[in-house]
Amino acid sequence: MLMAVRLRGMDAEETLSLSRAMAESGRELRWPEAWRGAVVDKHSTGGVGDKVSIALAPALAACGCKMRAILDRVGCCIVGQSAELVPADRVLYGLRDVTATIDSVPLITASILSKKAAERISALVLDVKFGSAALCPTLESARGLAHSLVEVGEELGIRTAAVLSRMDEPLGRCVGAALEVLEALQCMDGRGPKELRELVTLLGGLLLWQCGMAATPEGGGERLGRALDDGSALSTFEAMLEAQGVPPTTARALCAGTPQQRRRVLGGATTVEELRAPHDGAVLGVAALPLAQTLNAMGAGRTRTGERIDPTVGAEVLVEAGQRLREGEGGGRSRFRCRCRSRCRILVPVPEAHPSAGPGATSLCCIPVTVPVPVLVPVPMPYPGASPRAASQCRSRCHILVPHPGAGPSTASRYHTPEPHPGAGPSTASRYRIPEPHPGDSPSTGSGPGPDAVSWCQSQSRIPVPVPVPHPGAASR
């Protein structure tokens, strides 16, 4: 059924019927009569550094809205989906993940709106993102999804509006759980990145207007901005934390403390590295997707359900597009905990210093990924014997993301390296399964098949990778 929907689509009536059936599969929420018209919600299709809800919910509650308001004295809460709310969505989402139907617009629409219908909200604003790091890669695809969501949402009796926002660069300057909370607190202090405040006030202004609490969306945005500036949003956030079980002293330190006190509450990374400009130049942009992929490999995200997230892992972007940098100036900062998860003993010859390790230094082998943008690569420690023939031994407990030397500067492959790495230099022996003559063969061993030849690395993932240099074991066999 899911693949049929993916291939043939659904019209608005069919999507509406699916949304209603999914909403009725579990418990539906009920609200006091006095809250009629004031219960609102916001949904984002997802992005990098998207911490809008943390600041938006208390700001709306300070203005009189009830945002998922299960707490009368607070007016807002930030919660996850329970097993009782729309259980059909959990089942279908799990199936979509394994049937390659995640990007189906009717299924996305039904998944989002079935939960909103079960919440019995009065108004909904949707932040539909488009770009290289978004669910919708183009403006046209985002507009199609937004149209479907608004049309079906209105048919469900929810006043629905959508905003299209770009997601090619991270939202704000911080990515990673703890850092994003700190940046949202700055927003509720009346400070923080301009683009974050603009999106919070835009979405909040629309909801206040939809609820009749503002004459225009612009007026609603101004009212919400005042709640951010006068401290009422931050006070509401503190009350929300206490109502949801956070100790009062902790909530107070987080909301009224200094930046250092806030960091102590949220926890800090064991290692902080700053990336500096290798030469004079200008910043063309900060690509959100490879940054997110790098942080995910370092522990900031999860690749499967139930996997633990390390909230202290993150990155701070210290530059913006168009900014000029001189050699040695800082452009970014990464925070992480050194961790290794491999079960093999690895002997890795290190032919040259790692680009992130500083002059004359190399690293052991905790290299998460190589990306074509200025993102820090963690270097656990400089190798004391760094030289062209230096070698390190690492008893690692993980699959190490190792950029293959023949794959180009923007490529990385994930594979076990149980023996010396094939790119460690011509004097290094490694075992390759070479199914055909290597392009570096001498004439006496037979002419090679050309520059596009590949060899199979002896690894569990068996990834074919180009080998552009003569392999020391490339014999006629």
Side-chain angles (χ1 to χ4, degrees):
M1 184 272 281
L2 296 177
M3 187 56 70
V5 172
R6 170 67 177 79
L7 295 175
R8 299 178 63 86
M10 299 176 79
D11 60 29
E13 281 297 322
E14 292 169 330
T15 307
L16 175 63
S17 297
L18 178 59
S19 301
R20 282 177 171 159
M22 291 172 62
E24 293 168 358
S25 67
R27 177 188 173 194
E28 295 185 2
L29 305 183
R30 294 288 185 271
W31 310 110
E33 186 62 28
W35 293 1
R36 180 182 294 274
V39 182
V40 303
D41 203 355
K42 164 258 177 188
H43 182 85
S44 169
T45 56
V48 180
D50 188 354
K51 70 280 293 181
V52 167
S53 294
I54 301 173
L56 178 60
L60 283 168
C63 293
C65 286
K66 306 291 185 181
M67 192 168 186
R68 296 193 197 173
I70 59 173
L71 304 169
D72 189 23
R73 66 185 178 89
V74 176
C76 68
C77 66
I78 299 177
V79 297
Q81 180 184 355
S82 73
E84 297 179 351
L85 194 71
V86 196
D89 178 58
R90 287 180 176 271
V91 175
L92 289 179
Y93 195 89
L95 292 173
R96 286 167 58 200
D97 194 32
V98 298
T99 56
T101 54
I102 289 290
D103 61 347
S104 168
V105 169
L107 296 177
I108 294 171
T109 301
S111 176
I112 294 172
L113 294 180
S114 60
K115 293 188 283 287
K116 307 310 175 186
E119 290 175 10
R120 298 275 185 165
I121 59 175
S122 306
L124 171 66
V125 66
L126 298 149
D127 181 10
V128 181
K129 297 188 181 296
F130 66 95
S132 58
L135 176 66
C136 300
T138 65
L139 177 60
E140 292 72 21
S141 60
R143 185 177 287 117
L145 176 58
H147 177 79
S148 174
L149 288 164
V150 171
E151 184 178 12
V152 176
E154 290 287 341
E155 289 294 325
L156 288 169
I158 304 170
R159 294 189 294 275
T160 309
V163 170
L164 304 181
S165 62
R166 183 175 291 278
M167 181 43 67
D168 294 306
E169 298 192 355
L171 179 59
R173 290 177 175 264
C174 294
V175 183
L179 291 177
E180 290 184 32
V181 171
L182 289 172
E183 194 163 67
L185 288 167
Q186 291 178 358
C187 183
M188 289 183 278
D189 280 332
R191 302 179 292 112
K194 177 183 176 183
E195 61 269 27
L196 174 59
R197 181 187 174 96
E198 286 178 348
L199 188 54
V200 169
T201 54
L202 174 61
L203 298 172
L206 278 168
L207 281 172
L208 291 175
W209 170 66
Q210 288 174 295
C211 291
M213 297 182 181
T216 64
E218 294 77 15
E222 292 175 3
R223 182 179 175 185
L224 193 123
R226 290 193 295 271
L228 296 174
D229 295 333
D230 64 18
S232 57
L234 193 58
S235 297
T236 304
F237 183 70
E238 182 179 349
M240 184 193 76
L241 293 179
E242 293 183 26
Q244 293 190 249
V246 176
T249 53
T250 302
R252 186 64 181 164
L254 193 59
C255 295
T258 63
Q260 293 75 18
Q261 290 172 324
R262 288 174 172 176
R263 287 185 184 275
R264 281 199 295 271
V265 170
L266 293 170
T270 58
T271 307
V272 178
E273 294 278 355
E274 188 160 327
L275 178 68
R276 298 188 178 275
H279 51 73
D280 294 357
V283 179
L284 299 180
V286 179
L289 183 59
L291 175 59
Q293 291 170 334
T294 301
L295 293 176
N296 187 72
M298 294 163 64
R302 60 169 60 97
T303 56
R304 56 183 178 272
T305 303
E307 194 172 24
R308 181 182 176 275
I309 289 177
D310 187 344
T312 66
V313 173
E316 296 175 77
V317 180
L318 306 180
V319 296
E320 57 187 20
Q323 180 177 338
R324 297 199 64 83
L325 290 175
R326 299 186 64 83
E327 181 179 348
E329 289 184 333
R333 188 179 295 126
S334 73
R335 301 173 183 273
F336 57 94
R337 295 181 187 273
C338 296
R339 58 183 194 137
C340 224
R341 321 176 220 162
S342 122
R343 295 192 181 183
C344 49
R345 175 174 177 150
I346 301 171
L347 182 63
V348 185
V350 183
E352 56 183 0
H354 191 276
S356 295
T362 59
S363 69
L364 292 176
C365 52
C366 191
I367 304 174
V369 70
T370 296
V371 294
V373 296
V375 177
L376 278 179
V377 177
V379 179
M381 65 182 72
Y383 184 72
S387 70
R389 294 292 178 264
S392 63
Q393 285 193 356
C394 181
R395 292 181 182 273
S396 172
R397 298 182 180 263
C398 64
H399 299 204
I400 299 174
L401 233 66
V402 183
H404 191 276
S410 64
T411 308
S413 62
R414 182 191 294 272
Y415 57 88
H416 293 288
T417 312
E419 355 183 44
H421 191 278
S427 64
T428 304
S430 66
R431 295 179 185 172
Y432 255 58
R433 294 177 184 162
I434 304 178
E436 49 189 341
H438 192 275
D441 285 351
S442 63
S444 62
T445 61
S447 58
D452 292 329
V454 300
S455 60
W456 289 93
C457 182
Q458 186 168 329
S459 70
Q460 287 194 0
S461 54
R462 292 179 59 83
I463 302 173
V465 288
V467 182
V469 296
H471 190 276
S476 57
R477 63 181 178 358

